Amino acid sequence: MEIDRSIYTDLIFHIFAHMKVNNASDTYDEAYVANMEKELSRKTVIPESVTAYYCANFERLAFVNFLPYFMARSVDEVCYMIGQVGMATEEDAEKFIQPFCDVIRELSADYAKYWEKKAKDNQESYEGLKAYLSEQTLVTMKRFFESLRGMTNTKLKLLISESLRCNGRATIMGDTCIVTLPMPSERYSKQQIFMQLVHECTHMMTDPLIKSIRMDDGSHDIAECQVMLFDLWLFERDSEELRDAYVKWISQEVLEECEKSLSDERKNKMKEIFEKTS
């Protein structure tokens, strides 16, 4: 498992922390916005028309959350990545991609200065999180991560983000599962970040049970229910401490609702996957 951090990944999620998105992908954070205005001595302004167009066309534009920005060496390369995605239309380019990239370019110099200082100041916390995640994946949940690599034939790369707000992001690129996770904070403990890591990796195992996952037809909700129930089974099997923490974090009521939302046929298919992690 490789653990790293990326200024350009963080720049993208800094922007998304300022955008109110009307679905479960939302990472808007009012407290973060206020704090960053002080840190940067300026506002991060995303035109309302850009956010509105993004929300209205989310299923087609969600790719902007998942591109391998950590591979970029400049802002121009970041914007080139965004502009090269084939599913985008000419209207997308005019009303979202171009103005979104204008925000990236206009903000990048100020954000880079902040990020370099923040990364230095948070080095001890960053190293502590790396050590904790490495230990948990190698000891507490060893069987699960070995099964993940065996079943999906993937390596695991973690990006620790200064700007991703209390959520995770994951995608497959080639033979690598790339997971972006937040730094520890008053709202998000190291233990919760590890549980978020397990959550994101579980998607790689259970999402194939659904043909298409969208925000606008309820299939994303089913995908989330699958993951939450599957992870409850994992933590019950492997760690009483994590199981209790997970129930407290997610809530017993939500987990019971997940149980009700899934058919017996779907749960049986999940159990077949679960048995392969044993």
Side-chain angles (χ1 to χ4, degrees), residues 206-217:
T206 60
D207 281 1
L209 296 176
I210 304 176
K211 291 182 180 179
S212 175
I213 298 176
R214 298 173 61 91
M215 292 288 185
D216 59 2
D217 66 0

Side-chain angles (χ1 to χ4, degrees), residues 86-226:
M87 69 181 72
T89 67
E90 290 185 6
E91 185 180 22
D92 295 339
E94 177 186 352
K95 295 184 177 180
F96 177 74
I97 292 175
Q98 291 175 10
F100 188 78
C101 287
D102 286 343
V103 173
I104 293 171
R105 289 190 174 97
E106 195 273 334
L107 180 66
S108 62
D110 289 337
Y111 185 80
K113 292 177 184 177
Y114 158 81
W115 189 90
E116 288 167 4
K117 181 180 184 301
K118 190 74 171 178
K120 184 178 180 180
D121 291 346
N122 282 350
Q123 184 66 30
E124 185 175 346
S125 179
Y126 171 66
E127 294 295 340
L129 178 60
K130 285 174 61 178
Y132 177 81
L133 294 176
S134 297
E135 179 182 9
Q136 292 295 325
T137 56
L138 288 173
V139 179
T140 306
M141 299 292 289
K142 184 173 184 291
R143 286 183 293 178
F144 171 67
F145 285 99
E146 285 181 346
S147 296
L148 174 73
R149 288 189 286 272
M151 294 176 67
T152 62
N153 195 31
T154 60
K155 301 173 185 175
L156 188 59
K157 181 179 180 67
L158 309 186
L159 296 173
I160 308 303
S161 175
E162 295 285 354
S163 58
L164 183 60
R165 314 314 300 159
C166 297
N167 255 310
R169 291 289 192 273
T171 189
I172 294 286
M173 189 179 74
D175 64 350
T176 303
C177 176
I178 303 162
V179 182
T180 306
L181 299 164
M183 281 283 287
S185 66
E186 290 182 1
R187 295 172 57 190
Y188 224 53
S189 68
K190 288 190 291 186
Q191 188 179 62
Q192 288 172 328
I193 293 169
F194 175 70
M195 290 188 287
Q196 186 73 55
L197 168 60
V198 174
H199 178 100
E200 301 302 337
C201 289
T202 300
H203 273 291
M204 304 300 149
M205 305 176 90
T206 60
D207 281 1
L209 296 176
I210 304 176
K211 291 182 180 179
S212 175
I213 298 176
R214 298 173 61 91
M215 292 288 185
D216 59 2
D217 66 0
S219 55
H220 179 268
D221 293 337
I222 295 298
E224 289 297 313
C225 286
Q226 287 183 163

